[in-house]
C-alpha cells in the first residue's frame, strides 16, 4: 500500500502537493462557543479523496469522504445521534497555508419537530479557526472506554418544588450568548415587569457558563462570561429571586462544555457554596460512558440527586434526558423534582403543539407535588408564533401542571406577551396545590378539550382548536365528570359567564384556545 502511495505522489505535479491536507489540525470555535477545542485528522489519498475524523467535546464524527478544490474543502461525515442513530454532517472549510477555517452547521438534538408555516430560524453555524500542528495523519482515534452499567439506586428523598417551578432560562432565546451581565439585566427586568411577583422566581443559566478546565483541585470553574458566580448569586438573591445552573452526568454538556462526570459530589458542593438553588442536569455525553438502560441511567442521576441533598442547600433538581427509558417511572426515585419528557422545543406551532398535545397524555400519573413532567421551557415571546398560538402554549402548559420557565427576552417584552406570561388566573391553575396534571377529555379531529382538577373542587378547562380555520368547540360537563349547573369564568377575558348547565361552547380561532374555570 505504502509504496503505491509514494509511487503515485511522485507522479503528482507540485501544485497538488501544496494542496495536500493530510495531518492533524487543532483549534477552537471563533464564535458562540467560547473556546471549544476540536481536532481534525485528515488523510488525503493519492487520488485526492479524503477521510479521517473530527474529534470535539460535542461529537466524534467520522469523515466518510471529502474533496479539496482550489483551497475549499468539503467533508462529509457521520455522527452518532443521542439515540444511537447515525446523522449526516457536512463540513466546509477554507484552507490558507497552515490555517483552516472550518464551518459546521449547527445540529439540533433530541428530535426537534420540524414544522410547516412559521419556522424558527436555524442556529448560526459554528466556525472553528484551526492550525495544522502536524502533516502526518495521527492514526485512528482512541477506542472509547467500555460503557458502565449500574444497579437501580436506593431512593433519594426531596421535599422541594411542591408546585411546578417557575422562572426564566437562558437557552431558548440566547443559547451560548448568555453572560453574567445579561443574567443581572434579566433579573432586574423580571422584577420591574412584575414577573417575579407573578411567581417567576428562578433565573436559570443554561449551558455554556463552564470553564475549559477544572482547577488543580478538580473544582469546576466558570469561563470569562461568568467572572464570579457567588457574586452573581448574591445579586440574584438580593432581588428576591433564585439562581439556577446547568450540568451533565457525562464528561461534557450538550454544547461541549465540562460536565460533572466523576465530580458529582464536588460540583454539588461548589453549587451550594456559590448559592445555587436549581440544577438542570442534561444527559448528552453521558450516553458515551453509561450503558443505555433504566437502572444505569437512574443510578447516574441518583449520584447527583444524593450529592445535592448532601450539599446542605435546597437545590431543585431538574432531569433532562428527553423522556427516554420511561423517566416518569424512576424520576422521583433519583431525587428529581421535574423531568423533561421530550426532545427540545422550538419556537414554532408544530413543535410546541406536538410536544404539548401529542406527547404528554399518559404521563399524568407521574405528576404530583414535588415531581413534575416537564414538556420543556416556554417559547412565548420569541417571535415565531402568533399571540393566539402563545396563548395556547401558556394554557396547555398550565393545564399540564408544567414548569413555567419563560425563554424570552424579558428586557424587551411587548405588553401582549407580558399579559400572556402573567395571566394570573392561569398561573393559579398551574400552581394549584392539588398538583394534578390535566388530561385530554375529548377529541374531535383538530378540536380538543382538556381538563385539570383543582384543589377547591373546580376544573380548569381548555377548549383548543388545532385546525387551520376557526371552529366551535364544546366542553361537555359529562366528559369532565360533572353534572348540573356550574359557575363558569373565562380565564383569558377575566369575566364571569354565569352559571351554565350541561356544557359550554365557544368559537375558537385557528390554533387558539378558550380557557374556562368551571366551579364546583
Ligand atoms: C439540550 C437541552 C436543551 C439545552 C441544551 C444546551 O439540547 O435539551 O434544553 O439545555 O442542551 O446545550
Amino acid at each position: 500500500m505504502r509504496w503505491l502511495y509514494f509511487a503515485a505522489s511522485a507522479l503528482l505535479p507540485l501544485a497538488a502537493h501544496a494542496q495536500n491536507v493530510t495531518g492533524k489540525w487543532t483549534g477552537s470555535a471563533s464564535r458562540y462557543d467560547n473556546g471549544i477545542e476540536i481536532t481534525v485528522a485528515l488523510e488525503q489519498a493519492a487520488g485526492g479523496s479524503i477521510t479521517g475524523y473530527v474529534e470535539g467535546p460535542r461529537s466524534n464524527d467520522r469523515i466518510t469522504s471529502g474533496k479539496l478544490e482550489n483551497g475549499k474543502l468539503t467533508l462529509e461525515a457521520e455522527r452518532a445521534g443521542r439515540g444511537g442513530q447515525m446523522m449526516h454532517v457536512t463540513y466546509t472549510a477554507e484552507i490558507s497555508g497552515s490555517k483552516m477555517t472550518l464551518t459546521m452547521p449547527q445540529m439540533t438534538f433530541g428530535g426537534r419537530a420540524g414544522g410547516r408555516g412559521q419556522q424558527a430560524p436555524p442556529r448560526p453555524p459554528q466556525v472553528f479557526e484551526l492550525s495544522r500542528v502536524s502533516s502526518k495523519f495521527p492514526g485512528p482515534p482512541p477506542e472509547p472506554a467500555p460503557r458502565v452499567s449500574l444497579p437501580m439506586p436506593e431512593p433519594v428523598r426531596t421535599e422541594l418544588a411542591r408546585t411546578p417551578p417557575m422562572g426564566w432560562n437562558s437557552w431558548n432565546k440566547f443559547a451560548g450568548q448568555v453572560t453574567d451581565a445579561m443574567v443581572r439585566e434579566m433579573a432586574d427586568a423580571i422584577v420591574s415587569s412584575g414577573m417575579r411577583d407573578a411567581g417567576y422566581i428562578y433565573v436559570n443559566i443554561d449551558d455554556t457558563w463552564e470553564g475549559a478546565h477544572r482547577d488543580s483541585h478538580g473544582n469546576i470553574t466558570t469561563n470569562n462570561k461568568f467572572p464570579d458566580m457567588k457574586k452573581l448569586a448574591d445579586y440574584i438573591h438580593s432581588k428576591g429571586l433564585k439562581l439556577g445552573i446547568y450540568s451533565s452526568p457525562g464528561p461534557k454538556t450538550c454544547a461541549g462544555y465540562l460536565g460533572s462526570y466523576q465530580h458529582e459530589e464536588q460540583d454539588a458542593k461548589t453549587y451550594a457554596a456559590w448559592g445555587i438553588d436549581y440544577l438542570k442536569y442534561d444527559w448528552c455525553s453521558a450516553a458515551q460512558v453509561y450503558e443505555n438502560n433504566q437502572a444505569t441511567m437512574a443510578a447516574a442521576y441518583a449520584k447527583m440527586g444524593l450529592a445535592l441533598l448532601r450539599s446542605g442547600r435546597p437545590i431543585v433538581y431538574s432531569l433532562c434526558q428527553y423522556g427516554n427509558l420511561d423517566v416518569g417511572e424512576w424520576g422521583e426515585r433519583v431525587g428529581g423534582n421535574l423531568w423533561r419528557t421530550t426532545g427540545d422545543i422550538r419556537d414554532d406551532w408544530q413543535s410546541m403543539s406536538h410536544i404539548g398535545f401529542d406527547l404528554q397524555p399518559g404521563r399524568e400519573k407521574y405528576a404530583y407535588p414535588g415531581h413534575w413532567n416537564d414538556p420543556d421551557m416556554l417559547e412565548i415571546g420569541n417571535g415565531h408564533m402568533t399571540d393566539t398560538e402563545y396563548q395556547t402554549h401558556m394554557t396547555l402548559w398550565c393545564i399540564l401542571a408544567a414548569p413555567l420557565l419563560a425563554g424570552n427576552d424579558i428586557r424587551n417584552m411587548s405588553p401582549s406577551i407580558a399579559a400572556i406570561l402573567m395571566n394570573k388566573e392561569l398561573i393559579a391553575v398551574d400552581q394549584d396545590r392539588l398538583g394534578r396534571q390535566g388530561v385530554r377529555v375529548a377529541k374531535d379531529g383538530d378540536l380538543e378539550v382538556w381538563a385539570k382538577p383543582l384543589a377547591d373542587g373546580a376544573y380548569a378547562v381548555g377548549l383548543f382548536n388545532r385546525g387551520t380555520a376557526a371552529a366551535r368547540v364544546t366542553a361537555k360537563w359529562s366528559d369532565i365528570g360533572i353534572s348540573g349547573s356550574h359557575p363558569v369564568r373565562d380565564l383569558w377575558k377575566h369575566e364571569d359567564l354565569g352559571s351554565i348547565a350541561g356544557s359550554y361552547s365557544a368559537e375558537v380561532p385557528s390554533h387558539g384556545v378558550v380557557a374556562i374555570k368551571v366551579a364546583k
Side-chain angles (χ1 to χ4, degrees):
M1 239 1 235
R2 186 161 282 234
W3 66 266
L4 233 180
Y5 172 80
F6 285 126
S9 56
L11 297 175
L12 288 175
L14 219 61
H17 268 285
Q19 287 280 299
N20 194 297
V21 292
T22 296
K24 181 173 171 183
W25 303 71
T26 61
S28 56
S30 54
R31 293 187 277 167
Y32 304 116
D33 263 352
N34 208 329
I36 292 263
E37 285 162 19
I38 65 164
T39 294
V40 179
L42 299 176
E43 189 168 34
Q44 187 169 357
S49 72
I50 299 166
T51 51
Y53 53 92
V54 180
E55 249 192 345
R58 193 182 275 201
S59 57
N60 294 311
D61 301 342
R62 195 172 68 87
I63 299 166
T64 49
S65 69
K67 61 174 195 283
L68 178 66
E69 274 169 6
N70 304 325
K72 291 196 193 309
L73 187 62
T74 311
L75 302 171
E76 306 296 343
E78 276 185 344
R79 170 178 304 178
R82 279 182 192 169
Q85 81 285 11
M86 278 320 219
M87 303 186 295
H88 188 97
V89 199
T90 302
Y91 289 89
T92 52
E94 304 237 348
I95 305 225
S96 166
S98 62
K99 301 281 175 210
M100 181 194 300
T101 303
L102 181 81
T103 303
M104 180 181 77
Q106 282 267 37
M107 307 292 291
T108 52
F109 290 105
R112 283 172 184 238
R116 289 168 289 134
Q118 295 146 318
Q119 281 279 334
R123 294 199 197 284
Q126 264 182 313
V127 179
F128 299 87
E129 301 296 344
L130 308 175
S131 303
R132 192 180 206 160
V133 293
S134 145
S135 306
K136 256 184 69 186
F137 180 64
E143 279 293 312
R147 289 191 210 153
V148 178
S149 209
L150 299 171
M152 193 50 114
E154 289 304 313
V156 180
R157 301 262 169 247
T158 156
E159 294 300 319
L160 300 172
R162 307 316 292 171
T163 61
M166 290 177 67
W168 175 86
N169 174 293
S170 56
W171 187 257
N172 281 358
K173 170 85 182 169
F174 298 103
Q177 290 158 322
V178 62
T179 62
D180 175 290
M182 179 195 288
V183 171
R184 285 168 193 254
E185 285 171 22
M186 218 56 79
D188 295 347
I190 287 169
V191 175
S192 62
S193 62
M195 289 280 283
R196 178 193 65 189
D197 295 341
Y200 294 87
I201 293 298
Y202 289 96
V203 181
N204 293 351
I205 304 164
D206 207 281
D207 206 350
T208 79
W209 61 267
E210 307 87 340
H213 307 284
R214 288 178 178 270
D215 73 10
S216 56
H217 304 289
N219 295 311
I220 188 77
T221 58
T222 57
N223 61 43
N224 58 14
K225 297 191 298 167
F226 289 91
D228 190 330
M229 210 50 105
K230 170 89 177 72
K231 278 204 180 122
L232 178 55
D234 289 346
Y235 184 80
I236 299 297
H237 294 152
S238 78
K239 299 276 158 180
L241 298 166
K242 292 175 185 287
L243 186 62
I245 211 162
Y246 167 101
S247 189
S248 171
K252 298 283 178 181
T253 67
C254 287
Y257 288 73
L258 284 180
S260 295
Y261 183 58
Q262 293 179 334
H263 291 274
E264 294 83 359
E265 293 255 341
Q266 194 174 13
D267 285 359
K269 284 198 184 117
T270 303
Y271 303 151
W274 284 342
I276 298 294
D277 307 290
Y278 183 115
L279 173 69
K280 172 173 167 185
Y281 208 43
D282 196 346
W283 189 244
C284 284
S285 71
Q288 288 156 27
V289 293
Y290 292 114
E291 284 291 351
N292 188 35
N293 61 56
Q294 219 180 43
T296 301
M297 194 184 272
Y301 272 102
K303 268 192 213 177
M304 183 53 93
L306 203 57
L308 293 178
L309 210 61
R310 289 179 179 158
S311 74
R313 189 175 173 88
I315 300 179
V316 167
Y317 190 26
S318 156
L319 316 187
C320 178
Q321 45 76 277
Y322 338 113
N324 293 334
L325 299 173
D326 294 324
V327 62
E329 296 284 347
W330 51 268
E332 180 213 336
R333 186 183 179 100
V334 304
N337 299 112
L338 59 156
W339 44 81
R340 278 272 295 278
T341 52
T342 70
D344 294 6
I345 195 169
R346 279 177 70 111
D347 183 21
D348 63 54
W349 166 256
Q350 168 118 351
S351 163
M352 182 280 288
S353 60
H354 180 54
I355 287 178
F357 290 112
D358 302 332
L359 302 181
Q360 303 312 313
R363 300 182 191 271
E364 57 280 355
K365 56 181 177 286
Y366 303 123
Y368 68 98
H371 311 282
W372 311 101
N373 289 306
D374 173 10
D376 209 354
M377 304 169 293
L378 300 171
E379 291 282 10
I380 295 167
N382 280 338
H384 295 90
M385 286 188 259
T386 63
D387 283 358
T388 301
E389 291 169 335
Y390 287 140
Q391 284 186 335
T392 295
H393 188 2
M394 182 72 183
T395 309
L396 188 53
W397 262 236
C398 290
I399 287 182
L400 288 168
L404 297 178
L405 294 166
N408 59 321
D409 189 346
I410 311 289
R411 299 167 303 183
N412 300 302
M413 185 165 54
S414 72
S416 66
I417 292 302
I420 294 172
L421 283 169
M422 288 187 274
N423 180 332
K424 294 196 175 145
E425 297 196 64
L426 274 170
I427 291 174
V429 168
D430 181 77
Q431 297 289 302
D432 184 76
R433 65 186 161 77
L434 187 62
R436 294 270 304 277
Q437 176 169 327
V439 295
R440 178 163 50 213
V441 296
K443 178 167 169 64
D444 174 12
D446 290 328
L447 313 181
E448 301 191 9
V449 179
W450 288 63
K452 177 186 198 282
L454 304 174
D456 63 1
Y459 284 84
V461 180
L463 290 71
F464 295 97
N465 175 7
R466 298 174 67 179
T468 50
R472 204 159 179 81
V473 184
T474 299
K476 289 191 208 150
W477 290 180
S478 57
D479 286 338
I480 300 165
I482 55 176
S483 57
S485 277
H486 296 269
V488 173
R489 182 171 169 80
D490 188 311
L491 301 180
W492 281 110
K493 290 191 182 143
H494 308 295
E495 266 172 30
D496 286 328
L497 304 175
S499 195
I500 297 177
S503 67
Y504 178 69
S505 296
E507 190 75 7
V508 183
S510 159
H511 293 185
V513 63
V514 168
I516 55 173
K517 181 169 171 178
V518 183
K520 195 172 169 187

